[in-house]
Amino acid sequence: MRRILLSAALLIALVGVFVVRLVDIQVVRASELNEQAQDARSQPVTVWGSRGDIVDANGKVLADSVMRYDIVLSPKQASKALVERDVPDPENPDKTMEVEVPLAQLAAELGAEVGLTGDQVQGIIASELAADPDSDYAYVAKLVDTETYERVKALDIPWVYADEHPSRRYPNGAVAGNLVGWVDPDGAPVAGIELAEDKCLAGANGEVSYLHSLQDWVKIPGTEIVHEQAHDGGTLKLTIDTDLQWEVQRIAEAQRQAVGASWAMVTVMEVKTGRLLAVADVPTVDPNDPSATDKADRGSRSFTAPFEPGSTFKALTAASVINAGKADPLSQVVAPYRIVFPNGANINDSSGHDDQNLTLTGVLVESSNTGMSQFGELMTDRARYDDMLKFGLGAKTEVDFPAEEPGDLHGDPDDWDNQTKYATMFGQGLTTTAVQIASAYQTIANGGVRMPVSLVDGCVGDDGTATSPASQGEQVISPEAANATSQMLERVYQDAWLSDEWNIPGYRVAAKTGTAQVPDGEGGYLKEYLVSVSGFAPADDPQFVVSVSYMNAVKMNSSAASAPVFQEVMSQVLKKYRTVPSGAPAPELPATW
Amino acid sequence: MSALPAQSIPAPRRVGPERAPRRLRPAPERAVRQKPRLAYAVIALGGVAIIIVAQLLLSIAVTQGAYEIDGLQTQQGTLTREEQKLAEELDRVESPQFLATKAEGLGMVPNANPVYLRLSDGAVLGQPTAATGGASASAPLVPNALIDGVPPSGEQASGQTPTGGIPDQAADAATQAPVEGALPTPATH
């Protein structure tokens, strides 16, 4: 009986010890021990979540993510470890023998693949060892492509390895580079759509760890732990057409070089939808190599550089006046070279002339400042200002491009001085961006309905969810006023001094030129001129707006510099979208009386 | 009080000890139990053995699978890299800059004046106009760092193309076009 009791007590004591130990291991120190166990045989591995693609309206890739490789070597191992290779035995051709390969040869072989000399590679090793004799990590080359990586791998040097590194690539180079922007080497967005739509594009890297066999690094089944789920970024679809964008950039750049302009902007917009089909800013940055382009030329001036629109703005004033019922295309006015208004404002035309008996149509054809001033004053400043706001001026467009400027309508009408009150009627004393002007012309072309400007068509997330921008138009002016303005602009296209320069056979076109100075940002003006043409076609059923601006065309400082570009781009657009030529000729509107 | 003695008599309990010897009796039962115990032990041990063997086999199969997966993943990695190389090459050659340079190499020029033939009545819409101007070198106008160093001319590009078929013809056309003089454009570009 005592023996039984003794052994029972011993047994209980033993079980008690086990239980205590078990609780200690499983509960008290569980996490600590788990961690140790994991660390002993597994390491966290990054699962790359790739940044989403940027594609054009047809799905053509403008920006995508590729895997690049940083080639790394271990200076310590390079200096110590011997590398042996099997080479054919000269005595017995069937067998191989192991030969020790000297460091110099390996360095030369490695260098040849990554574009360095053997001495440079040895230099990297030496300098790294001088800094830290135990160094295991020194870059030989960064962001090399897959081909180079595979060639380096084929060398089979034990102390050389590669770090995977997702990188960004722009297959079309500078095509839409002004819009797409780029990311820095670490993958952070720097400019353009990359920056503006980072929320859609950004992926998230995940992390997993697993146990692996020591010998051949094979993953042991069932040991994988997902610490963080990786997910890819969404695909962003733009409204831009890559082919058209290229063609527009080509035309714009060729003319920019021909006329010696500092820079140029060309915008192509779809009339019915407000979609931007092409936005060219030349010179254009190549996002693959942003540093090759001058810093000021890397963005999109069409969004970020407001300018005084000049005479292209007269179309808007005319539309407002007609919409207000104060005039029609045949309303008459006497336009002198210079006119002084009762409030003291002193307005003159660009070149001297005798008094002209002009209709409103004629005022646009002759681009008469004095004539337009007399029509503009039929409305109150406040009413014109309100119309400008409704045309989308004075506020950022719906695109909300990075660093986009709203333009400046010279503050509020209450701030306008006497001269500004009249200057704003023909596009001076206020600033707009190129995209805003294109949008205003879109409004006139679209029967007075302004559509939200869109550059992004939508974002499709990696889980398939899609977003697309709202596209609700707003009636700015009456369809009748829009139609009347369109007909007057057709007369401008046919009768103005540049009519031979921009003729597109077979189509009815509405267009207006402009020449204006650019604010220097400090209250004054730059001495250079910005010459522009804005218009749309076919005028009988408007489909496309094209707006062209050239800055400081030293060899041809007038709208004649931009007119051929308007003609070429508009022709290309009409051809590309298979627009049927117009049938009936443009209606006649007398310019004089 | 007279009822107490009567209550304190646990009459039936005395019957128990009398029947107790019967419980100790069943010797034959022991003999019967012993046989199944061995069978159970055999079955239990056999079961354990089978489970262990099955587990071992499963484990071997899973491990075998792990190596297979590893091999396939390595293969997938290689193929992915191969695909990426080819996709990058394709992207390069289908970029507008590359196509334009090749088209110019063939002596092609853009015609900005569109003309349409309406099939219903055969009407020609638009005014047919010959393309003006020569083939200009458009490549430098819209830079692309990715195609720098890739020879854009017909012959060299076809030399890079593994299939060689169609690009070879293109290369032939490139060399023939200026000789024939069929295109109304200067071949210089």
mmCIF file of all heavy atoms in Angstrom, chain A residues 149-194:
data_model
loop_
_atom_site.group_PDB
_atom_site.id
_atom_site.type_symbol
_atom_site.label_atom_id
_atom_site.label_comp_id
_atom_site.label_asym_id
_atom_site.label_seq_id
_atom_site.Cartn_x
_atom_site.Cartn_y
_atom_site.Cartn_z
ATOM 1 N N TYR A 149 21.310 40.145 -66.388
ATOM 2 C CA TYR A 149 21.243 39.336 -65.175
ATOM 3 C C TYR A 149 21.519 37.865 -65.487
ATOM 4 O O TYR A 149 22.266 37.194 -64.788
ATOM 5 C CB TYR A 149 19.862 39.500 -64.533
ATOM 6 C CG TYR A 149 19.486 38.389 -63.585
ATOM 7 C CD1 TYR A 149 20.118 38.272 -62.347
ATOM 8 C CD2 TYR A 149 18.509 37.465 -63.928
ATOM 9 C CE1 TYR A 149 19.785 37.250 -61.476
ATOM 10 C CE2 TYR A 149 18.163 36.439 -63.065
ATOM 11 C CZ TYR A 149 18.805 36.328 -61.842
ATOM 12 O OH TYR A 149 18.466 35.318 -60.993
ATOM 13 N N GLU A 150 20.938 37.388 -66.572
ATOM 14 C CA GLU A 150 21.122 35.975 -66.909
ATOM 15 C C GLU A 150 22.548 35.686 -67.338
ATOM 16 O O GLU A 150 23.086 34.611 -67.064
ATOM 17 C CB GLU A 150 20.126 35.563 -68.009
ATOM 18 C CG GLU A 150 18.724 35.473 -67.444
ATOM 19 C CD GLU A 150 17.721 34.925 -68.447
ATOM 20 O OE1 GLU A 150 17.994 35.031 -69.652
ATOM 21 O OE2 GLU A 150 16.683 34.415 -68.004
ATOM 22 N N ARG A 151 23.156 36.653 -68.018
ATOM 23 C CA ARG A 151 24.555 36.442 -68.420
ATOM 24 C C ARG A 151 25.461 36.421 -67.195
ATOM 25 O O ARG A 151 26.383 35.611 -67.098
ATOM 26 C CB ARG A 151 24.983 37.536 -69.393
ATOM 27 C CG ARG A 151 24.377 37.392 -70.785
ATOM 28 C CD ARG A 151 25.242 38.111 -71.816
ATOM 29 N NE ARG A 151 25.457 39.515 -71.486
ATOM 30 C CZ ARG A 151 24.663 40.504 -71.893
ATOM 31 N NH1 ARG A 151 23.638 40.237 -72.665
ATOM 32 N NH2 ARG A 151 24.912 41.738 -71.547
ATOM 33 N N VAL A 152 25.166 37.302 -66.226
ATOM 34 C CA VAL A 152 25.963 37.314 -64.995
ATOM 35 C C VAL A 152 25.774 36.001 -64.246
ATOM 36 O O VAL A 152 26.719 35.417 -63.733
ATOM 37 C CB VAL A 152 25.547 38.512 -64.112
ATOM 38 C CG1 VAL A 152 26.162 38.388 -62.722
ATOM 39 C CG2 VAL A 152 25.959 39.824 -64.763
ATOM 40 N N LYS A 153 24.528 35.537 -64.242
ATOM 41 C CA LYS A 153 24.227 34.287 -63.547
ATOM 42 C C LYS A 153 24.980 33.117 -64.200
ATOM 43 O O LYS A 153 25.456 32.208 -63.527
ATOM 44 C CB LYS A 153 22.728 34.039 -63.613
ATOM 45 C CG LYS A 153 22.182 33.263 -62.429
ATOM 46 C CD LYS A 153 20.672 33.169 -62.523
ATOM 47 C CE LYS A 153 20.196 31.864 -61.955
ATOM 48 N NZ LYS A 153 18.879 31.513 -62.450
ATOM 49 N N ALA A 154 25.076 33.183 -65.526
ATOM 50 C CA ALA A 154 25.731 32.101 -66.261
ATOM 51 C C ALA A 154 27.217 32.023 -65.934
ATOM 52 O O ALA A 154 27.831 30.966 -66.086
ATOM 53 C CB ALA A 154 25.526 32.303 -67.757
ATOM 54 N N LEU A 155 27.805 33.129 -65.471
ATOM 55 C CA LEU A 155 29.223 33.098 -65.106
ATOM 56 C C LEU A 155 29.448 32.196 -63.905
ATOM 57 O O LEU A 155 30.536 31.654 -63.714
ATOM 58 C CB LEU A 155 29.708 34.515 -64.767
ATOM 59 C CG LEU A 155 29.763 35.525 -65.914
ATOM 60 C CD1 LEU A 155 30.183 36.885 -65.379
ATOM 61 C CD2 LEU A 155 30.751 35.057 -66.974
ATOM 62 N N ASP A 156 28.405 32.062 -63.060
ATOM 63 C CA ASP A 156 28.446 31.167 -61.925
ATOM 64 C C ASP A 156 29.604 31.478 -60.984
ATOM 65 O O ASP A 156 30.399 30.604 -60.634
ATOM 66 C CB ASP A 156 28.514 29.704 -62.416
ATOM 67 C CG ASP A 156 28.117 28.739 -61.317
ATOM 68 O OD1 ASP A 156 27.406 29.196 -60.392
ATOM 69 O OD2 ASP A 156 28.527 27.573 -61.370
ATOM 70 N N ILE A 157 29.705 32.739 -60.630
ATOM 71 C CA ILE A 157 30.717 33.131 -59.641
ATOM 72 C C ILE A 157 30.042 33.100 -58.277
ATOM 73 O O ILE A 157 29.039 33.768 -58.064
ATOM 74 C CB ILE A 157 31.245 34.556 -59.926
ATOM 75 C CG1 ILE A 157 31.770 34.638 -61.356
ATOM 76 C CG2 ILE A 157 32.314 34.937 -58.921
ATOM 77 C CD1 ILE A 157 32.133 36.024 -61.803
ATOM 78 N N PRO A 158 30.561 32.303 -57.341
ATOM 79 C CA PRO A 158 29.821 32.106 -56.085
ATOM 80 C C PRO A 158 29.639 33.375 -55.250
ATOM 81 O O PRO A 158 28.687 33.463 -54.506
ATOM 82 C CB PRO A 158 30.669 31.070 -55.332
ATOM 83 C CG PRO A 158 31.860 30.797 -56.152
ATOM 84 C CD PRO A 158 31.769 31.506 -57.451
ATOM 85 N N TRP A 159 30.538 34.318 -55.386
ATOM 86 C CA TRP A 159 30.397 35.516 -54.536
ATOM 87 C C TRP A 159 29.657 36.663 -55.239
ATOM 88 O O TRP A 159 29.686 37.804 -54.802
ATOM 89 C CB TRP A 159 31.748 35.991 -54.002
ATOM 90 C CG TRP A 159 32.908 35.891 -54.963
ATOM 91 C CD1 TRP A 159 33.791 34.868 -55.067
ATOM 92 C CD2 TRP A 159 33.292 36.851 -55.952
ATOM 93 N NE1 TRP A 159 34.701 35.110 -56.050
ATOM 94 C CE2 TRP A 159 34.424 36.330 -56.607
ATOM 95 C CE3 TRP A 159 32.805 38.091 -56.341
ATOM 96 C CZ2 TRP A 159 35.058 37.007 -57.654
ATOM 97 C CZ3 TRP A 159 33.442 38.776 -57.368
ATOM 98 C CH2 TRP A 159 34.547 38.225 -58.020
ATOM 99 N N VAL A 160 29.017 36.341 -56.337
ATOM 100 C CA VAL A 160 28.205 37.354 -57.013
ATOM 101 C C VAL A 160 26.751 36.908 -57.007
ATOM 102 O O VAL A 160 26.454 35.756 -57.308
ATOM 103 C CB VAL A 160 28.665 37.556 -58.467
ATOM 104 C CG1 VAL A 160 27.693 38.486 -59.209
ATOM 105 C CG2 VAL A 160 30.062 38.121 -58.509
ATOM 106 N N TYR A 161 25.883 37.789 -56.605
ATOM 107 C CA TYR A 161 24.463 37.458 -56.650
ATOM 108 C C TYR A 161 23.671 38.701 -57.043
ATOM 109 O O TYR A 161 24.244 39.769 -57.263
ATOM 110 C CB TYR A 161 23.996 36.865 -55.321
ATOM 111 C CG TYR A 161 24.411 37.622 -54.101
ATOM 112 C CD1 TYR A 161 23.538 38.484 -53.473
ATOM 113 C CD2 TYR A 161 25.686 37.457 -53.564
ATOM 114 C CE1 TYR A 161 23.919 39.179 -52.339
ATOM 115 C CE2 TYR A 161 26.069 38.152 -52.439
ATOM 116 C CZ TYR A 161 25.187 39.012 -51.828
ATOM 117 O OH TYR A 161 25.566 39.696 -50.723
ATOM 118 N N ALA A 162 22.359 38.515 -57.165
ATOM 119 C CA ALA A 162 21.547 39.625 -57.660
ATOM 120 C C ALA A 162 20.351 39.855 -56.754
ATOM 121 O O ALA A 162 19.760 38.907 -56.243
ATOM 122 C CB ALA A 162 21.068 39.331 -59.079
ATOM 123 N N ASP A 163 20.032 41.104 -56.533
ATOM 124 C CA ASP A 163 18.813 41.464 -55.807
ATOM 125 C C ASP A 163 17.743 41.841 -56.812
ATOM 126 O O ASP A 163 17.963 42.690 -57.669
ATOM 127 C CB ASP A 163 19.078 42.674 -54.901
ATOM 128 C CG ASP A 163 19.781 42.272 -53.635
ATOM 129 O OD1 ASP A 163 19.828 41.069 -53.365
ATOM 130 O OD2 ASP A 163 20.283 43.169 -52.928
ATOM 131 N N GLU A 164 16.578 41.213 -56.667
ATOM 132 C CA GLU A 164 15.465 41.599 -57.533
ATOM 133 C C GLU A 164 14.974 42.977 -57.121
ATOM 134 O O GLU A 164 15.017 43.334 -55.953
ATOM 135 C CB GLU A 164 14.325 40.603 -57.384
ATOM 136 C CG GLU A 164 14.496 39.367 -58.200
ATOM 137 C CD GLU A 164 13.206 38.576 -58.222
ATOM 138 O OE1 GLU A 164 12.465 38.639 -57.236
ATOM 139 O OE2 GLU A 164 12.953 37.917 -59.222
ATOM 140 N N HIS A 165 14.435 43.679 -58.060
ATOM 141 C CA HIS A 165 14.119 45.077 -57.814
ATOM 142 C C HIS A 165 13.103 45.511 -58.853
ATOM 143 O O HIS A 165 13.459 45.715 -60.010
ATOM 144 C CB HIS A 165 15.433 45.861 -57.977
ATOM 145 C CG HIS A 165 15.413 47.190 -57.337
ATOM 146 N ND1 HIS A 165 14.380 48.068 -57.502
ATOM 147 C CD2 HIS A 165 16.302 47.799 -56.523
ATOM 148 C CE1 HIS A 165 14.646 49.159 -56.817
ATOM 149 N NE2 HIS A 165 15.798 49.025 -56.207
ATOM 150 N N PRO A 166 11.822 45.640 -58.501
ATOM 151 C CA PRO A 166 10.867 46.053 -59.527
ATOM 152 C C PRO A 166 11.165 47.470 -59.988
ATOM 153 O O PRO A 166 11.515 48.318 -59.175
ATOM 154 C CB PRO A 166 9.508 45.991 -58.830
ATOM 155 C CG PRO A 166 9.752 45.587 -57.438
ATOM 156 C CD PRO A 166 11.217 45.551 -57.178
ATOM 157 N N SER A 167 11.014 47.685 -61.269
ATOM 158 C CA SER A 167 11.336 48.997 -61.807
ATOM 159 C C SER A 167 10.266 49.396 -62.814
ATOM 160 O O SER A 167 9.419 48.587 -63.193
ATOM 161 C CB SER A 167 12.709 48.938 -62.461
ATOM 162 O OG SER A 167 13.034 50.173 -63.041
ATOM 163 N N ARG A 168 10.314 50.636 -63.256
ATOM 164 C CA ARG A 168 9.274 51.175 -64.114
ATOM 165 C C ARG A 168 9.850 51.405 -65.500
ATOM 166 O O ARG A 168 10.994 51.823 -65.644
ATOM 167 C CB ARG A 168 8.811 52.513 -63.514
ATOM 168 C CG ARG A 168 7.435 52.931 -63.944
ATOM 169 C CD ARG A 168 6.379 52.148 -63.238
ATOM 170 N NE ARG A 168 5.080 52.773 -63.433
ATOM 171 C CZ ARG A 168 3.965 52.086 -63.548
ATOM 172 N NH1 ARG A 168 3.981 50.778 -63.506
ATOM 173 N NH2 ARG A 168 2.815 52.709 -63.695
ATOM 174 N N ARG A 169 9.025 51.158 -66.511
ATOM 175 C CA ARG A 169 9.514 51.308 -67.871
ATOM 176 C C ARG A 169 8.435 51.968 -68.711
ATOM 177 O O ARG A 169 7.239 51.734 -68.516
ATOM 178 C CB ARG A 169 9.832 49.932 -68.433
ATOM 179 C CG ARG A 169 10.747 49.927 -69.627
ATOM 180 C CD ARG A 169 11.023 48.497 -69.965
ATOM 181 N NE ARG A 169 9.742 47.829 -70.110
ATOM 182 C CZ ARG A 169 9.270 47.407 -71.292
ATOM 183 N NH1 ARG A 169 9.977 47.540 -72.374
ATOM 184 N NH2 ARG A 169 8.094 46.826 -71.366
ATOM 185 N N TYR A 170 8.860 52.790 -69.639
ATOM 186 C CA TYR A 170 7.927 53.530 -70.498
ATOM 187 C C TYR A 170 8.232 53.162 -71.948
ATOM 188 O O TYR A 170 9.084 53.788 -72.583
ATOM 189 C CB TYR A 170 8.064 55.038 -70.237
ATOM 190 C CG TYR A 170 7.884 55.365 -68.780
ATOM 191 C CD1 TYR A 170 8.963 55.383 -67.907
ATOM 192 C CD2 TYR A 170 6.618 55.595 -68.259
ATOM 193 C CE1 TYR A 170 8.796 55.631 -66.558
ATOM 194 C CE2 TYR A 170 6.430 55.850 -66.909
ATOM 195 C CZ TYR A 170 7.524 55.874 -66.068
ATOM 196 O OH TYR A 170 7.351 56.110 -64.733
ATOM 197 N N PRO A 171 7.552 52.147 -72.481
ATOM 198 C CA PRO A 171 7.935 51.583 -73.786
ATOM 199 C C PRO A 171 7.900 52.609 -74.906
ATOM 200 O O PRO A 171 8.636 52.474 -75.886
ATOM 201 C CB PRO A 171 6.887 50.495 -74.039
ATOM 202 C CG PRO A 171 6.271 50.213 -72.721
ATOM 203 C CD PRO A 171 6.393 51.458 -71.920
ATOM 204 N N ASN A 172 7.042 53.626 -74.795
ATOM 205 C CA ASN A 172 6.914 54.590 -75.879
ATOM 206 C C ASN A 172 7.746 55.849 -75.668
ATOM 207 O O ASN A 172 7.556 56.827 -76.377
ATOM 208 C CB ASN A 172 5.445 54.951 -76.084
ATOM 209 C CG ASN A 172 4.633 53.751 -76.499
ATOM 210 O OD1 ASN A 172 5.019 53.013 -77.394
ATOM 211 N ND2 ASN A 172 3.532 53.525 -75.822
ATOM 212 N N GLY A 173 8.627 55.803 -74.699
ATOM 213 C CA GLY A 173 9.519 56.928 -74.505
ATOM 214 C C GLY A 173 8.774 58.209 -74.240
ATOM 215 O O GLY A 173 7.879 58.269 -73.399
ATOM 216 N N ALA A 174 9.123 59.227 -75.009
ATOM 217 C CA ALA A 174 8.577 60.558 -74.765
ATOM 218 C C ALA A 174 7.118 60.701 -75.191
ATOM 219 O O ALA A 174 6.523 61.745 -74.948
ATOM 220 C CB ALA A 174 9.429 61.595 -75.482
ATOM 221 N N VAL A 175 6.533 59.699 -75.815
ATOM 222 C CA VAL A 175 5.129 59.805 -76.191
ATOM 223 C C VAL A 175 4.293 59.900 -74.913
ATOM 224 O O VAL A 175 4.289 58.987 -74.099
ATOM 225 C CB VAL A 175 4.669 58.598 -77.047
ATOM 226 C CG1 VAL A 175 3.199 58.729 -77.370
ATOM 227 C CG2 VAL A 175 5.488 58.513 -78.310
ATOM 228 N N ALA A 176 3.650 61.051 -74.734
ATOM 229 C CA ALA A 176 2.853 61.333 -73.535
ATOM 230 C C ALA A 176 3.706 61.375 -72.271
ATOM 231 O O ALA A 176 3.178 61.282 -71.166
ATOM 232 C CB ALA A 176 1.702 60.344 -73.364
ATOM 233 N N GLY A 177 5.004 61.522 -72.428
ATOM 234 C CA GLY A 177 5.879 61.620 -71.253
ATOM 235 C C GLY A 177 5.521 62.805 -70.381
ATOM 236 O O GLY A 177 5.654 62.755 -69.158
ATOM 237 N N ASN A 178 5.038 63.876 -71.024
ATOM 238 C CA ASN A 178 4.630 65.058 -70.276
ATOM 239 C C ASN A 178 3.453 64.763 -69.357
ATOM 240 O O ASN A 178 3.297 65.375 -68.315
ATOM 241 C CB ASN A 178 4.275 66.190 -71.244
ATOM 242 C CG ASN A 178 3.235 65.762 -72.268
ATOM 243 O OD1 ASN A 178 3.158 64.597 -72.639
ATOM 244 N ND2 ASN A 178 2.433 66.696 -72.728
ATOM 245 N N LEU A 179 2.603 63.825 -69.762
ATOM 246 C CA LEU A 179 1.406 63.509 -68.981
ATOM 247 C C LEU A 179 1.671 62.383 -67.987
ATOM 248 O O LEU A 179 1.259 62.449 -66.831
ATOM 249 C CB LEU A 179 0.268 63.077 -69.915
ATOM 250 C CG LEU A 179 -0.124 64.078 -70.992
ATOM 251 C CD1 LEU A 179 -1.131 63.461 -71.936
ATOM 252 C CD2 LEU A 179 -0.690 65.328 -70.362
ATOM 253 N N VAL A 180 2.340 61.337 -68.475
ATOM 254 C CA VAL A 180 2.502 60.134 -67.658
ATOM 255 C C VAL A 180 3.378 60.407 -66.443
ATOM 256 O O VAL A 180 3.095 59.941 -65.347
ATOM 257 C CB VAL A 180 3.099 58.986 -68.502
ATOM 258 C CG1 VAL A 180 3.500 57.823 -67.616
ATOM 259 C CG2 VAL A 180 2.093 58.531 -69.541
ATOM 260 N N GLY A 181 4.428 61.225 -66.625
ATOM 261 C CA GLY A 181 5.347 61.462 -65.523
ATOM 262 C C GLY A 181 6.263 60.272 -65.331
ATOM 263 O O GLY A 181 6.380 59.426 -66.215
ATOM 264 N N TRP A 182 6.886 60.192 -64.188
ATOM 265 C CA TRP A 182 7.805 59.078 -63.959
ATOM 266 C C TRP A 182 7.937 58.835 -62.466
ATOM 267 O O TRP A 182 7.399 59.600 -61.658
ATOM 268 C CB TRP A 182 9.173 59.367 -64.597
ATOM 269 C CG TRP A 182 9.906 60.516 -63.988
ATOM 270 C CD1 TRP A 182 10.843 60.465 -63.000
ATOM 271 C CD2 TRP A 182 9.763 61.912 -64.323
ATOM 272 N NE1 TRP A 182 11.278 61.728 -62.699
ATOM 273 C CE2 TRP A 182 10.643 62.635 -63.491
ATOM 274 C CE3 TRP A 182 8.989 62.612 -65.235
ATOM 275 C CZ2 TRP A 182 10.756 64.021 -63.541
ATOM 276 C CZ3 TRP A 182 9.099 63.994 -65.290
ATOM 277 C CH2 TRP A 182 9.971 64.684 -64.462
ATOM 278 N N VAL A 183 8.628 57.745 -62.127
ATOM 279 C CA VAL A 183 8.879 57.432 -60.717
ATOM 280 C C VAL A 183 10.383 57.459 -60.483
ATOM 281 O O VAL A 183 11.160 57.302 -61.412
ATOM 282 C CB VAL A 183 8.318 56.043 -60.326
ATOM 283 C CG1 VAL A 183 6.831 55.977 -60.557
ATOM 284 C CG2 VAL A 183 9.031 54.940 -61.087
ATOM 285 N N ASP A 184 10.768 57.702 -59.241
ATOM 286 C CA ASP A 184 12.204 57.724 -58.952
ATOM 287 C C ASP A 184 12.718 56.278 -58.824
ATOM 288 O O ASP A 184 11.928 55.339 -58.829
ATOM 289 C CB ASP A 184 12.484 58.581 -57.706
ATOM 290 C CG ASP A 184 11.928 57.955 -56.429
ATOM 291 O OD1 ASP A 184 11.577 56.764 -56.474
ATOM 292 O OD2 ASP A 184 11.854 58.655 -55.414
ATOM 293 N N PRO A 185 14.050 56.100 -58.742
ATOM 294 C CA PRO A 185 14.588 54.732 -58.741
ATOM 295 C C PRO A 185 14.031 53.860 -57.608
ATOM 296 O O PRO A 185 14.039 52.630 -57.708
ATOM 297 C CB PRO A 185 16.095 54.945 -58.583
ATOM 298 C CG PRO A 185 16.338 56.303 -59.141
ATOM 299 C CD PRO A 185 15.125 57.109 -58.815
ATOM 300 N N ASP A 186 13.564 54.477 -56.546
ATOM 301 C CA ASP A 186 12.988 53.686 -55.448
ATOM 302 C C ASP A 186 11.519 53.363 -55.664
ATOM 303 O O ASP A 186 10.903 52.721 -54.812
ATOM 304 C CB ASP A 186 13.153 54.437 -54.126
ATOM 305 C CG ASP A 186 14.614 54.614 -53.759
ATOM 306 O OD1 ASP A 186 15.393 53.713 -54.111
ATOM 307 O OD2 ASP A 186 14.960 55.645 -53.166
ATOM 308 N N GLY A 187 10.958 53.829 -56.777
ATOM 309 C CA GLY A 187 9.580 53.492 -57.094
ATOM 310 C C GLY A 187 8.564 54.515 -56.608
ATOM 311 O O GLY A 187 7.364 54.301 -56.750
ATOM 312 N N ALA A 188 9.018 55.614 -56.031
ATOM 313 C CA ALA A 188 8.078 56.642 -55.572
ATOM 314 C C ALA A 188 7.728 57.559 -56.743
ATOM 315 O O ALA A 188 8.607 57.972 -57.490
ATOM 316 C CB ALA A 188 8.704 57.455 -54.447
ATOM 317 N N PRO A 189 6.452 57.862 -56.925
ATOM 318 C CA PRO A 189 6.060 58.703 -58.056
ATOM 319 C C PRO A 189 6.578 60.126 -57.896
ATOM 320 O O PRO A 189 6.610 60.655 -56.795
ATOM 321 C CB PRO A 189 4.538 58.672 -58.014
ATOM 322 C CG PRO A 189 4.205 58.373 -56.594
ATOM 323 C CD PRO A 189 5.304 57.489 -56.084
ATOM 324 N N VAL A 190 6.992 60.720 -59.015
ATOM 325 C CA VAL A 190 7.593 62.049 -58.962
ATOM 326 C C VAL A 190 6.716 63.081 -59.667
ATOM 327 O O VAL A 190 6.547 64.195 -59.180
ATOM 328 C CB VAL A 190 8.996 62.031 -59.616
ATOM 329 C CG1 VAL A 190 9.573 63.436 -59.675
ATOM 330 C CG2 VAL A 190 9.923 61.117 -58.845
ATOM 331 N N ALA A 191 6.131 62.705 -60.802
ATOM 332 C CA ALA A 191 5.432 63.721 -61.589
ATOM 333 C C ALA A 191 4.295 63.093 -62.373
ATOM 334 O O ALA A 191 4.186 61.869 -62.490
ATOM 335 C CB ALA A 191 6.420 64.405 -62.538
ATOM 336 N N GLY A 192 3.460 63.957 -62.899
ATOM 337 C CA GLY A 192 2.432 63.557 -63.854
ATOM 338 C C GLY A 192 1.384 62.617 -63.263
ATOM 339 O O GLY A 192 1.098 62.621 -62.068
ATOM 340 N N ILE A 193 0.818 61.803 -64.170
ATOM 341 C CA ILE A 193 -0.227 60.866 -63.780
ATOM 342 C C ILE A 193 0.291 59.877 -62.730
ATOM 343 O O ILE A 193 -0.445 59.446 -61.850
ATOM 344 C CB ILE A 193 -0.707 60.102 -65.040
ATOM 345 C CG1 ILE A 193 -1.419 61.058 -66.001
ATOM 346 C CG2 ILE A 193 -1.609 58.946 -64.676
ATOM 347 C CD1 ILE A 193 -2.761 61.519 -65.512
ATOM 348 N N GLU A 194 1.554 59.517 -62.863
ATOM 349 C CA GLU A 194 2.144 58.609 -61.872
ATOM 350 C C GLU A 194 1.922 59.145 -60.470
ATOM 351 O O GLU A 194 1.641 58.397 -59.535
ATOM 352 C CB GLU A 194 3.652 58.445 -62.125
ATOM 353 C CG GLU A 194 4.002 57.689 -63.390
ATOM 354 C CD GLU A 194 4.141 56.193 -63.178
ATOM 355 O OE1 GLU A 194 3.499 55.670 -62.247
ATOM 356 O OE2 GLU A 194 4.874 55.561 -63.943
#
